[in-house]
Amino acid sequence: MLTSLRYLTGTAGPSGFGSRATAEDATAACSDLRHITAIITGATSGIGAETARVLAKRGARLVLPARSLKTAEEARARLLAECPAAGDVVVLPLDLSSLASVRRFAARFLALGLPLNLLINNAGKFADRFTLSDDGVEMTFATNYLGHFLLTKLLLEKMAETARKTGVEGRIVNVSSTIHSWFAGDDAVGYIDGVIRRKIPYDPTRAYALSKLANVLHTRALADHLKEMKANVTANCVHPGIVRTRLIRERDGLVTNTVFFLASKLLKTIPQAAATTCYVAVHPAVAGESGKYFADCNEASPSRLGSSGEEAAKLWSFSEEIAAEEKEESVRVGSFRLQVQSSNADRGLAFA
C-alpha cells in the first residue's frame, strides 16, 4: 500500500528520486560522460531513444544496434542535432532474435577497437502470435532475453578489460518489468519447452512475463559470474514503469486504447520511464551494487521466483546450451531439443 501511494504521489525514496523523476533528473549528478562508451539496444524509439538522448546530452559515445539501419541512421541524426555535446554515435546492424546476427554484431563491434563501459539491454518485443525464431526459439523469449544473454556473454571480456584499463566501473543494465511477477509457475525452462513443442497453448502475455522474468534471473546469475571473474563490472535490472510505447504496437485496438486512456493518470511519460535505466547506468550512488532490481530509481524486490538462485542457475545453463555454436542441426538440453537453422536475418545489412 505504501509503495502504491509513493508511486502515485511521486514521493522520493532513499535515492532522492521517485516515480516522477525524469532521466535528466536522474543523471544531473553525472553531467560529464565523455569517458563513457555505451551500447543501447532498442535505442531508436521509446524508452531506449530517451535513454540514448540523455546519455548523449551528457557527452557519452553511443553504439546503436538496430534491425533497420535506416531507422538507426535517422535516430543518429536526431541525436547529433539535439545533443551538441554528444560523442560519436555508431550504428551497427543487429537482430536480437537471431543468434547468428548477435555474433556478427559482437564481432563488428570488437573489430572497432572501442572501449565498452556500459551495456544497456533495453530492446523488447511483445509477440501477439506464436512464432519461432531462426534458431527455433519462441520469438518473445528469443528477442527479449536470449539475444541479450548471448550479446552480454560475447562482450563481457571487453567490458572487464575496459574497466581494468580505465579504472572506471563497467555496468550492465537489463530492462525488465514488474510484469515478470505475472509468470505463474516454478519452472521457466519447462514452460519454454512446452510452448515450443506445442504442448502448452501460446499465451502472449505469459510469454512476455516469462521473458521479463528471464531478464531478472539473468541479472542474478550474471552478478555471480562477474564476481567469480573478479571483474570491476556490475549487473542490475530495472522496471521502468508502465508506459505506452511502440512495444505493444501489435496489440493496438479499441480495448487496448480504452484501457490506456482510463489508466493515463497512472502511466509514466517516456522521460520518466527512462529515469531508472539512466540512474542505474551512471549514478554514483549505484557504484558497487550488483544483482539488484530497481524501480522508480530505488532498489526494489523482484518476485519470489525472480529471487531464486536455483532457477537463475538453471536458466543460465539452459541458455548457454542454446546459445553455444553447434555444427549439428540440433541442440539437446536435457529432454529438450532445439532445431537450429542458419540465420540470414541481417546478411543483407552486413555490408550496408
Side-chain angles (χ1 to χ4, degrees):
M1 183 66 177
L2 180 60
T3 302
S4 298
L5 288 173
R6 182 176 290 165
Y7 174 83
L8 291 172
T9 60
T11 304
S15 70
F17 300 104
S19 62
R20 299 305 176 224
T22 66
E24 292 203 25
D25 296 334
T27 57
C30 324
S31 59
D32 187 356
L33 297 177
R34 286 176 294 176
H35 61 294
I36 295 296
T37 297
I39 293 177
I40 309 172
T41 67
T44 59
S45 65
I47 296 170
E50 177 65 4
T51 300
R53 185 190 72 80
V54 171
L55 296 186
K57 182 179 180 179
R58 308 297 188 201
R61 175 197 284 130
L62 303 181
V63 178
L64 308 184
R67 291 188 63 177
S68 167
L69 287 184
K70 180 177 181 295
T71 301
E73 289 291 356
E74 290 170 353
R76 177 180 183 274
R78 286 194 301 272
L79 286 170
L80 294 176
E82 296 175 19
C83 307
D88 295 337
V89 179
V90 179
V91 169
L92 292 174
L94 172 63
D95 176 359
L96 280 162
S97 73
S98 163
L99 298 178
S101 177
V102 173
R103 291 190 182 93
R104 284 192 287 271
F105 169 85
R108 291 183 184 114
F109 172 76
L110 294 174
L112 295 176
L114 296 174
L116 182 58
N117 309 92
L118 179 58
L119 173 61
I120 300 179
N121 292 320
N122 165 83
K125 178 182 179 64
F126 188 108
D128 193 41
R129 297 175 181 81
F130 177 76
T131 311
L132 293 178
S133 71
D134 287 342
D135 303 289
V137 181
E138 188 277 315
M139 188 61 77
T140 301
F141 186 81
T143 304
N144 296 1
Y145 165 69
L146 191 60
H148 284 128
F149 172 86
L150 179 59
L151 178 65
T152 303
K153 178 182 178 182
L154 295 175
L155 298 177
L156 271 189
E157 287 297 336
K158 170 57 71 173
M159 295 195 72
E161 175 191 290
T162 299
R164 187 168 57 249
K165 288 182 176 179
T166 64
V168 177
E169 179 184 80
R171 297 188 186 183
I172 299 168
V173 182
N174 288 331
V175 179
S176 181
S177 168
T178 191
I179 292 173
H180 82 272
S181 63
W182 293 9
F183 180 78
D186 295 311
D187 187 2
V189 172
Y191 176 76
I192 284 294
D193 184 358
V195 168
I196 294 177
R197 290 171 177 270
R198 301 294 185 96
K199 292 182 177 180
I200 300 174
Y202 180 69
D203 180 332
T205 300
R206 195 175 186 205
Y208 181 76
L210 174 64
S211 73
K212 296 290 100 179
L213 171 63
N215 295 145
V216 176
L217 293 171
H218 177 218
T219 302
R220 182 185 174 96
L222 179 58
D224 290 341
H225 184 66
L226 289 165
K227 188 175 181 180
E228 291 172 3
M229 288 175 62
K230 293 182 170 31
N232 184 22
V233 180
T234 63
N236 291 290
C237 62
V238 304
H239 163 53
I242 305 301
V243 58
R244 188 169 194 181
T245 69
R246 291 179 60 203
L247 176 66
I248 58 163
R249 58 185 172 271
E250 295 177 27
R251 291 186 69 83
D252 276 350
L254 179 60
V255 174
T256 301
N257 293 338
T258 301
V259 168
F260 271 88
F261 173 76
L262 294 175
S264 60
K265 296 302 181 184
L266 302 179
L267 299 180
K268 286 188 175 186
T269 65
I270 287 178
Q272 290 169 344
T276 305
T277 299
C278 289
Y279 173 77
V280 174
V282 300
H283 201 282
V286 189
E289 299 291 341
S290 195
K292 304 292 183 63
Y293 177 79
F294 289 81
D296 299 332
C297 300
N298 288 275
E299 188 177 338
S301 298
S303 68
R304 177 189 58 81
L305 192 57
S307 301
S308 170
E310 180 182 353
E311 193 68 18
K314 182 179 176 183
L315 180 64
W316 181 280
S317 297
F318 171 78
S319 305
E320 288 223 303
E321 290 287 346
I322 301 176
E325 291 190 86
E326 294 284 344
K327 293 182 179 179
E328 298 179 4
E329 294 183 353
S330 62
V331 178
R332 181 176 292 281
V333 183
S335 62
F336 179 59
R337 180 174 291 276
L338 281 175
Q339 295 301 315
V340 179
Q341 304 172 16
S342 175
S343 171
N344 295 312
D346 70 342
R347 293 197 184 277
L349 300 177
F351 303 104

